[in-house]
């Protein structure tokens, strides 16, 4: 999620005060999720940490979930933090990205994906924010982090340490290398927002194959003490874009995304190619439930083989 570009020197952030940011003009009643948040630390001498991942999650994949587990391991062995919670924050429908399913579907898919996790939660805050006309409102990443800061450190009063003293939890962004690389692009992000995200809060970045993260970090050197880079020991390049492509081609996505998410997608007919769906419905109605023409063969990666004369309509995201 990038924010609008601004020029000049960084000025104080002008987002609504935390009390408004935590409720806002929402379409539905909103309650901050805290059922799995560890409100009492178990490791003495460590600073409580809450990880927040902002993204489309359209749909959520196993890589999104693995990012949290990789970060948790990294924090445990390489920092002086104690992870007290992890949150998925699906973006607003105002983001209008290609392949973006409606917010309520993305929130539900994420919720089903983390249902059995002991520490991961889904916050619908971004998806329920509206403007004065009741339309979905874009929520900058910096404001999202301020929202978590307010809810956890102001409303809940922070996290209780092993000594009984309540302390402010560190809120940090969890993201892939592609995001931090975009932050290194001149003029793409507001200097004010970068100061909030990386300066005030910080980020844990998961390296991805094919990205030169060192080049991006070189332009963000002023925040280097607040950025932690986590290497992928086992490379995983599953992406929501690839999953949507498979679904549009009517290929299996099991073991790429959690089973409850697969079932939800099938139940609601999400991410299907509109033209292919119309053709399939027409063929089914005209043949009594059997396709009139054979489908064009596809390989395991979803590419078409040249042996069929049947035209295949696909729409890549």
């Amino acid at each position: 999620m990038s924010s609008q570009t601004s020029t000049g020197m960084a000025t104080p952030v002008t987002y609504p005060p935390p009390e408004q940011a935590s409720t806002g003009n929402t379409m539905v009643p909103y309650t901050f999720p805290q059922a799995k948040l560890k409100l009492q630390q178990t490791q003495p001498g460590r600073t409580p940490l809450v990880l927040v991942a902002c993204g489309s999650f359209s749909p959520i994949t196993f890589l999104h979930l693995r990012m949290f587990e990789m970060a948790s391991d990294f924090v445990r062995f390489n920092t002086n933090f104690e992870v007290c919670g992890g949150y998925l924050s699906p973006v607003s429908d105002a983001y209008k990205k290609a392949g973006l399913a409606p917010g309520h579907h993305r929130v539900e898919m994420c919720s089903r994906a983390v249902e059995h996790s002991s520490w991961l939660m889904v916050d619908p805050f971004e998806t329920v924010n509206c403007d004065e006309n009741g339309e979905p409102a874009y929520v900058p990443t910096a404001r999202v982090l301020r929202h978590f800061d307010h809810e956890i450190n102001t409303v809940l009063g922070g996290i209780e340490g092993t000594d009984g003293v309540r302390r402010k939890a560190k809120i940090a962004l969890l993201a892939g290398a592609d995001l931090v690389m975009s932050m290194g692009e001149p003029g793409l992000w507001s200097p004010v927002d970068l100061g909030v995200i990386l300066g005030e809060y910080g980020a844990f970045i998961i390296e991805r194959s094919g990205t030169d993260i060192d080049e991006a970090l070189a332009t963000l050197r002023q925040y280097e003490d607040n950025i932690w880079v986590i290497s992928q020991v086992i490379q995983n390049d599953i992406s929501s874009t690839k999953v949507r492509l498979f679904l549009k081609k009517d290929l299996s996505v099991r073991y790429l995304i959690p089973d409850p998410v697969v079932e939800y997608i099938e139940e609601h007919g999400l991410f299907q190619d509109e033209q292919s769906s119309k053709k399939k419905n027409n063929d089914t109605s005209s043949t009594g439930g059997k396709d009139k023409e054979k489908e064009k063969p596809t390989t395991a990666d979803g590419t078409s083989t040249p042996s069929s004369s049947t035209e295949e309509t696909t729409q890549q995201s």
Side-chain angles (χ1 to χ4, degrees):
M1 291 173 54
S2 61
S3 55
Q4 295 298 315
T5 301
S6 65
T7 59
M9 297 298 291
T11 56
V13 177
T14 57
Y15 298 128
E19 292 76 10
Q20 294 179 14
S22 64
T23 55
N25 298 318
T26 55
M27 293 181 287
V28 295
Y30 170 80
T31 302
F32 180 70
Q34 55 176 290
K36 300 178 186 178
L37 182 64
K38 185 192 293 185
L39 294 175
Q40 186 172 31
Q41 290 184 256
T42 57
Q43 302 173 33
R46 290 187 172 236
T47 301
L49 171 70
V50 175
L51 297 168
V52 179
C54 301
S56 301
F57 306 117
S58 188
I60 186 171
T61 72
F62 277 124
L63 178 55
H64 293 131
L65 301 176
R66 278 296 303 162
M67 287 174 63
F68 280 96
E69 294 298 328
M70 285 186 281
S72 178
D73 286 341
F74 178 87
V75 167
R76 191 157 50 97
F77 290 109
N78 299 280
T79 74
N80 197 38
F81 296 116
E82 177 182 352
V83 175
C84 293
Y87 287 90
L88 294 154
S89 183
V91 299
S92 165
D93 288 342
Y95 193 43
K96 299 187 183 301
K97 179 181 178 181
L100 189 70
H104 67 281
H105 283 314
R106 291 181 287 113
V107 168
E108 183 61 27
M109 285 188 286
C110 289
S111 297
R112 295 192 180 198
V114 303
E115 181 179 1
H116 299 295
S117 169
S118 62
W119 66 289
L120 296 182
M121 294 160 280
V122 183
D123 186 2
F125 174 73
E126 293 188 64
T127 64
V128 299
N129 265 267
C130 299
D131 60 21
E132 60 276 5
N133 298 317
E135 295 296 322
Y138 173 76
V139 186
T141 303
R143 184 184 165 198
V144 175
L145 296 179
R146 285 207 182 282
H147 155 71
F148 279 98
D149 190 0
H150 170 72
E151 293 289 349
I152 295 172
N153 292 319
T154 301
V155 176
L156 297 178
I159 306 296
E160 184 179 334
T162 57
D163 57 359
V165 177
R166 301 192 74 85
R167 294 177 174 82
K168 182 177 179 179
K170 181 175 180 62
I171 310 299
L173 182 68
L174 175 63
D178 50 350
L179 181 69
V180 77
M181 290 186 70
S182 74
M183 290 178 171
E185 290 289 331
L188 190 58
W189 285 74
S190 159
V192 174
D193 280 9
L194 284 180
V196 173
I197 297 168
L198 300 180
E200 184 175 344
Y201 293 108
F204 287 82
I205 305 299
I206 307 294
E207 279 190 325
R208 290 181 179 173
S209 57
T211 58
D212 187 1
I213 194 170
D214 291 335
E215 181 179 347
L217 292 176
T219 65
L220 302 171
R221 197 167 300 280
Q222 66 190 100
Y223 307 115
E224 61 182 354
D225 292 337
N226 219 16
I227 299 175
W228 293 265
V229 178
I230 305 169
S231 299
Q232 280 200 68
V233 178
I234 300 176
Q235 292 297 320
N236 184 337
D237 66 348
I238 297 173
S239 70
S240 297
T241 301
K242 293 176 182 177
V243 170
R244 292 196 304 270
L245 179 59
F246 269 49
L247 288 167
K248 289 176 181 178
K249 290 177 174 290
D250 199 26
L251 297 172
S252 172
V253 293
R254 288 196 181 274
Y255 313 118
L256 296 177
I257 60 178
D259 280 349
V261 178
V262 176
E263 294 162 4
Y264 187 87
I265 290 172
E266 292 175 347
E267 178 184 351
H268 294 275
L270 302 177
F271 310 116
Q272 293 184 359
D273 180 80
E274 184 177 352
Q275 292 181 347
S276 294
S277 296
K278 288 181 179 179
K279 179 181 183 299
K280 184 175 181 179
N281 291 336
N282 290 336
D283 289 346
T284 300
S285 61
S286 64
T287 59
K290 295 182 180 180
D291 289 341
K292 188 174 182 180
E293 295 179 313
K294 291 180 65 178
E295 293 185 4
K296 188 171 183 179
T298 58
T299 62
D301 65 356
T303 57
S304 303
T305 63
S307 58
S308 172
S309 59
T310 304
E311 182 178 358
E312 179 186 42
T313 55
T314 60
Q315 184 176 353
Q316 298 190 20
S317 59

